[in-house]
């Protein structure tokens, strides 16, 4: 019996997206597996990506790197995007993690602990993390990767993309021995000049399009499905759910489905969220509650125990994100630990 709500991860689709990203970029893909592979499970996803040839991974936190090292063994290189935070050098070294250093204080911390393989992040305009190009450190022993991050890669028309690319090329030229890593998912699709030596995609591996909408080149990977807990006939004039935000204007059949905001079905799915039920896209009605949402299934052949799809092959992740007023990244990473990840392929 599957759990009432499940997140099914199609590892063959993940592998296909990895190969597509390598083909489009023309350089190796170094997968970003932070936040537990955007909620899909970093151990299982990374193992499959290793089987496809990936040998370098990125996480955000030291703790994520430690877990990934335990799952993958000694072979792959694992970079930590937070860098070397105060007091973290020993943990990084113990797990053979490579910090992506963001500031002089991090570099000093890393060196004081003995240094070793690491990267440097150059901030080419996003103003989030990294050295400004004019303040970037001199080349030093152990530095094997230089990266920067695009602020608007999901918008190919944005002129800042080319400015960041050129600023990165200039800054990276100071470090001839270091591998240059620039493009995230959107960047992979911006053209050959953006790929540099290796790309660093996340969301496109996991089934989101490079421009925040479904893209025929990217296969859906994750399916969030929920069991129908109850089917009820609501007479005209009655309301459904908390705060009476939906009133039946005619007799309405409602399926109460076992996925609520504690499972990652954001409350903002109402009122525009839709669910694939018995072969059709149907609206979520009323408020999403913690453990359940209500779907208008009037006229459908649907029964208790059937499953509906919140996103997956029939309801694309990016479309679900847009309906919820957010992005696919947030939908994936919001899925609670109580939802079992089920791997196929
Ligand atoms: C999250 C992240 C990525 C991956 O971005 P996607 O848009 O998911 O491809 C790449 N690089 C850095 C620095 C990141 O923080």
């Amino acid at each position: 019996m599957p759990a009432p709500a499940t997140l099914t991860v199609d590892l063959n689709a993940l592998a296909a997206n990895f190969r597509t990203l390598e083909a489009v970029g023309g350089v190796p893909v170094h997968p970003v597996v932070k936040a537990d592979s955007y909620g899909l499970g970093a151990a299982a996803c990374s193992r499959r990506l290793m089987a496809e040839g990936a040998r370098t991974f990125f996480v955000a936190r030291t703790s994520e790197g430690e877990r990934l090292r335990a799952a993958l063994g000694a072979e792959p290189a694992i970079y930590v995007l937070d860098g070397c935070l105060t007091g973290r050098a020993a943990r990084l070294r113990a797990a053979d993690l490579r910090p992506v250093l963001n500031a002089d204080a991090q570099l000093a911390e890393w060196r004081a602990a003995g240094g070793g393989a690491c990267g440097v992040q150059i901030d080419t305009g996003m103003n989030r993390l990294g050295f400004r190009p004019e303040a970037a450190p001199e080349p030093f022993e152990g530095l094997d990767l230089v990266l920067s991050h695009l602020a608007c890669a999901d918008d190919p028309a944005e002129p800042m993309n080319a400015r960041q690319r050129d600023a990165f090329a200039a800054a990276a030229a100071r470090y001839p021995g270091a591998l240059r890593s620039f493009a995230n998912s959107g960047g992979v699709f911006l053209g050959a000049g953006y790929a540099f030596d290796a790309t660093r995609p996340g969301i496109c591996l996991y089934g989101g399009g490079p421009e925040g909408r479904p893209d025929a080149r990217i296969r859906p990977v994750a399916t969030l499905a929920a069991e129908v807990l109850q089917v009820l006939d609501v007479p005209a004039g009655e309301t459904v759910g908390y705060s009476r935000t939906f009133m039946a204007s005619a007799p309405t059949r409602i399926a109460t489905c076992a996925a609520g905001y504690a499972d990652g079905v954001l409350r903002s799915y109402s009122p525009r969220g839709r669910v694939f039920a018995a072969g059709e896209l149907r609206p979520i009605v009323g408020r999403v509650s913690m453990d359940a949402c209500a779907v208008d299934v009037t006229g459908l052949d649907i029964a208790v125990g059937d499953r509906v799809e919140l996103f997956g092959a029939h309801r694309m992740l990016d479309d679900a994100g847009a309906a919820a007023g957010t992005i696919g990244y947030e939908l994936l990473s919001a899925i609670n630990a109580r939802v079992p990840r089920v791997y196929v392929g």
Side-chain angles (χ1 to χ4, degrees), residues 33-55:
V33 297
K34 64 191 180 188
D36 206 22
S37 278
Y38 296 35
L40 274 52
C45 290
S46 303
R47 277 195 205 104
R48 179 57 186 268
L49 292 166
M50 272 187 84
E52 299 299 319
R55 286 296 176 275

Side-chain angles (χ1 to χ4, degrees), residues 124-291:
T124 52
M126 184 167 174
N127 285 312
R128 185 174 69 169
L129 281 176
F131 294 89
R132 293 184 78 89
E134 66 274 15
E138 295 298 321
F140 60 91
E141 176 79 28
L143 177 62
D144 62 8
L145 175 119
V146 54
L147 74 76
S148 188
H149 192 48
L150 285 157
C152 310
D154 59 349
D155 179 5
E158 170 57 57
M160 185 170 171
N161 292 327
R163 287 203 302 274
Q164 286 195 270
R165 175 198 62 200
D166 296 345
F168 178 64
R174 288 181 72 181
Y175 310 105
L179 191 113
R180 297 169 302 165
S181 170
F182 184 61
N184 67 335
S185 295
V188 172
F189 293 89
L190 290 178
Y194 289 81
F196 291 91
D197 301 324
T199 60
R200 211 172 60 241
I203 193 69
C204 280
L205 290 168
Y206 309 120
E211 297 177 33
R213 56 172 181 268
D215 185 304
R217 295 166 292 189
I218 298 299
R219 284 175 54 180
V221 173
T223 302
L224 181 62
E227 190 168 332
V228 175
L229 298 172
Q230 188 167 358
V231 177
L232 43 152
D233 289 306
V234 178
E238 291 193 9
T239 61
V240 175
Y242 286 123
S243 306
R244 316 182 74 220
T245 62
F246 172 81
M247 182 180 287
S249 56
T252 302
R253 177 159 286 194
I254 295 292
T256 301
C257 303
Y261 57 80
D263 304 290
V265 179
L266 304 187
R267 206 158 164 274
S268 60
Y269 267 103
S270 44
R272 280 179 298 136
R274 300 210 286 166
V275 160
F276 187 75
E280 288 185 19
L281 273 182
R282 286 304 187 90
I284 293 180
V285 297
R287 288 267 158 85
V288 174
S289 54
M290 187 178 289
D291 313 306

Side-chain angles (χ1 to χ4, degrees), residues 282-327:
R282 286 304 187 90
I284 293 180
V285 297
R287 288 267 158 85
V288 174
S289 54
M290 187 178 289
D291 313 306
C293 61
V295 180
D296 181 346
V297 294
T298 307
L300 293 183
D301 181 17
I302 195 161
V304 169
D306 289 351
R307 296 178 84 77
V308 303
E309 178 185 306
L310 280 300
F311 54 75
H314 306 95
R315 174 64 170 162
M316 297 299 276
L317 175 68
D318 292 304
D319 292 333
T326 181
I327 54 178

